[in-house]
């Protein structure tokens, strides 16, 4: 009985073991198949994602090259092609902003109105990351400052975009700009908006257009925003365009110069270093947008030297800083924006424009700058 029972149990155990072994083999095979299928699916996804991103990058870079050459119609089409392959909302938002910017720059028919609407739609789109929306509003503020009060009144008087300020001064557009930059900084803290606030307050100070705000109070506000800008420029993951990086350095230099002069708490060497940093990209740029900012920085660095450099080489230093204006006197498209900005000052009375007053002084020192002013139609 024991032997028979033992034999039957042994056979049963062997059969069970064989069945368990077959089940285990089948399970292992199924797991392996699932792993292979998962790998194929994930690999296909990665391949698809990389392909989409590569296609986006191709279209975006091609459009960016057209943008730099000022072929705005071609750039708009290129960015439109890119946005169909945008790999994420951030890339989509950045591309939409480029379409809006180039539509604004093209300025054909009702381009300007359409561009402003594109910006407004982007700024209020909750699907777009806050940092991208903040940069878009900052860029719109920069465009607004260049257009003046009538433009600001037309597009930014009604809620929820009611940033327009009217105080019967042609400089009130800078107060509108401050409101826009503060609104951008509220969406997402970003250094370009913060330095731009400092720049706008500085412009109001040097032109005597602060209104009821005292220069002391404005200077203190400027330095608060410089400090915020310095902190955010180091910690932020925001990727600025080359022209906006140049603007950061330029705005910061102006803000440091003006506020430091009023509060007497920033040394002259530190202020000068800020200007030197602002023009440091000069040797490598072929971007008209960057070059326009750098020429502004050179002009203001010349003004700084005129006011504070009392050494024996003062005039020579000013001439060296302003030497690139010799190239700007040509018809090179690299300097088109610089030339246009000075053409706009021809009819402005010198006693109502700090920049025009200082430019006339610098023209008596720098032959290159004098020739440039004559080339754009100034009467000297």
């Amino acid at each position: 009985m024991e032997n028979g029972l033992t034999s039957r149990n042994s056979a049963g155990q062997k059969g069970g073991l064989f069945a368990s072994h077959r089940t285990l083999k089948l399970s292992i095979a199924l797991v392996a198949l699932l792993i292979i299928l998962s790998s194929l699916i994930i690999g296909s996804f990665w391949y698809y994602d990389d392909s989409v991103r590569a296609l986006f990058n191709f279209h975006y870079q091609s459009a960016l090259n057209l943008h730099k050459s000022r072929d705005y119609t071609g750039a708009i089409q290129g960015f439109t092609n890119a946005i169909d392959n945008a790999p994420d909302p951030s890339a989509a938002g950045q591309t939409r902003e480029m379409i809006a910017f180039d539509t604004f720059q093209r300025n054909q028919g009702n381009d300007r109105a359409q561009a402003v609407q594109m910006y407004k739609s982007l700024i209020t789109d909750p699907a777009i990351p806050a940092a991208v929306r903040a940069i878009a509003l900052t860029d719109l503020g920069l465009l607004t400052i260049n257009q003046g009060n009538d433009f600001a009144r037309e597009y930014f008087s009604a809620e929820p975009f009611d940033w327009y300020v009217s105080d019967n001064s042609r400089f009130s557009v800078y107060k509108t700009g401050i409101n826009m930059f503060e609104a951008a900084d509220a969406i997402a803290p970003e250094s370009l908006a913060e330095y731009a606030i400092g720049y706008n307050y500085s412009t109001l100070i040097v032109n005597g257009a602060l209104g009821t705000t005292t220069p002391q109070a404005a200077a203190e506000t400027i330095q608060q925003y410089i400090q915020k800008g310095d902190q955010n420029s180091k910690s932020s993951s925001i990727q600025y365009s080359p022209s906006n990086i140049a603007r950061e350095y330029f705005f910061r230099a102006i803000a440091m110069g003006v506020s430091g002069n009023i509060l007497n708490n920033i040394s002259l060497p530190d202020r000068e270093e800020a200007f030197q940093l602002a023009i440091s990209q000069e040797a490598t740029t072929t971007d008209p947008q960057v070059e326009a900012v750098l020429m502004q920085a050179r002009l203001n660095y010349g003004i700084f030297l005129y006011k504070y450099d009392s050494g024996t080489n003062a005039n020579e230093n000013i001439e060296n800083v302003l030497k690139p204006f010799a190239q700007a006197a040509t018809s090179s498209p690299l300097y088109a924006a610089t030339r246009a900005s000075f053409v706009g000052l021809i009819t402005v009375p010198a006693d109502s424009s700090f920049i025009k007053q200082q430019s006339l002084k610098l023209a008596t020192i720098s032959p290159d700058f004098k020739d440039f002013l004559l080339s754009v139609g100034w009467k000297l």
Side-chain angles (χ1 to χ4, degrees):
M1 290 290 294
E2 291 179 3
N3 289 339
L5 182 59
T6 301
S7 297
R8 286 196 298 271
N9 287 344
S10 296
Q13 288 172 358
K14 288 179 181 179
L17 287 172
F18 289 142
S20 299
H21 184 62
R22 287 195 298 271
T23 302
L24 180 60
K25 289 175 66 178
L26 181 59
S27 299
I28 292 173
L30 287 173
V31 170
L33 180 60
L34 288 173
I35 292 173
I36 292 170
L37 289 173
S38 298
S39 299
L40 289 173
I41 292 170
I42 293 171
S44 298
F45 175 78
W46 283 342
Y47 175 78
Y48 175 77
D49 187 55
D50 287 345
S51 298
V52 169
R53 187 175 295 276
L55 189 58
F56 169 80
N57 290 340
F58 171 77
H59 285 303
Y60 191 92
Q61 188 59 52
S62 299
L64 193 61
N65 292 336
L66 293 170
H67 159 83
K68 290 179 180 179
S69 69
R70 305 179 75 194
D71 179 0
Y72 295 121
T73 297
I76 291 166
Q77 184 58 56
F79 286 124
T80 301
N81 294 337
I83 204 169
D84 292 335
N85 297 282
D88 52 57
S90 179
Q94 291 170 11
T95 309
R96 285 170 60 184
E97 207 253 327
M98 290 302 299
I99 294 172
F101 181 85
D102 282 352
T103 301
F104 192 97
Q105 295 297 98
R106 185 176 62 179
N107 193 23
Q108 296 176 4
N110 67 338
D111 274 353
R112 291 280 166 89
Q114 287 187 356
V116 171
Q117 187 54 47
M118 290 178 191
Y119 272 109
K120 289 179 176 179
S121 176
L122 175 59
I123 292 162
T124 55
D125 187 346
I128 301 300
V132 177
R133 292 187 285 117
I135 294 172
L137 179 49
T138 298
D139 282 343
L140 183 57
L142 296 173
L143 291 172
T144 299
I145 291 169
N146 290 332
Q147 296 306 305
N149 289 332
D150 291 342
F151 178 89
R153 182 188 306 110
E154 180 177 359
Y155 292 108
F156 305 115
S157 293
E159 294 183 352
F161 310 103
D162 52 334
W163 300 306
Y164 173 66
V165 175
S166 176
D167 60 4
N168 299 317
S169 165
R170 72 184 186 88
F171 293 102
S172 64
V173 71
Y174 290 94
K175 296 180 181 179
T176 299
I178 289 171
N179 287 342
M180 297 176 78
F181 298 136
E182 287 177 341
D185 201 43
I187 293 173
E190 49 112 352
S191 52
L192 179 60
E194 290 152 358
Y195 291 138
I197 292 169
Y199 170 78
N200 278 24
Y201 271 117
S202 298
T203 301
L204 294 171
I205 288 172
V206 299
N207 287 285
L210 279 173
T212 58
T213 303
T214 66
Q216 175 87 13
E220 290 172 353
T221 299
I222 289 170
Q223 294 196 355
Q224 290 170 7
Y225 276 104
I226 292 174
Q227 185 177 19
K228 289 181 66 178
D230 288 349
Q231 292 171 348
N232 286 323
S233 68
K234 295 176 182 177
S235 61
S236 175
S237 60
I238 292 174
Q239 298 295 315
Y240 289 120
S241 66
S243 60
N244 277 345
I245 292 174
R247 287 186 183 93
E248 281 202 294
Y249 289 130
F250 170 55
F251 291 162
R252 183 177 183 272
I254 294 294
M256 286 181 64
V258 173
S259 66
N261 180 54
I262 293 172
L263 300 177
N264 196 29
N265 61 353
I266 301 177
S267 69
L268 286 176
D270 284 346
R271 291 184 236 171
E272 182 170 10
E273 183 182 12
F275 279 110
Q276 290 172 341
L277 186 61
I279 65 174
S280 62
Q281 301 174 76
E282 184 75 51
T284 59
T285 183
T286 57
D287 186 333
Q289 297 288 332
V290 175
E291 190 61 44
V293 179
L294 295 178
M295 296 303 280
Q296 285 183 293
R298 284 192 169 276
L299 172 63
N300 282 274
Y301 187 15
I303 294 171
F304 173 85
L305 292 174
Y306 182 87
K307 184 173 183 179
Y308 295 110
D309 188 348
S310 57
T312 56
N313 297 324
N315 284 2
E316 181 181 352
N317 292 338
I318 292 173
E319 288 181 24
N320 288 335
V321 168
L322 299 180
K323 190 171 288 295
F325 278 92
Q327 286 77 44
T330 68
S331 58
S332 168
L334 188 61
Y335 301 100
T338 297
R339 294 177 62 82
S341 67
F342 280 88
V343 169
L345 287 172
I346 291 175
T347 59
V348 175
D351 61 359
S352 67
S353 169
F354 173 81
I355 286 294
K356 190 164 188 177
Q357 292 172 19
Q358 303 305 311
S359 294
L360 292 171
K361 294 175 183 177
L362 294 177
T364 65
I365 298 174
S366 168
D368 291 322
F369 187 59
K370 178 180 179 180
D371 289 343
F372 166 76
L373 293 179
L374 291 171
S375 76
V376 297
W378 281 38
K379 305 298 181 184
L380 302 177

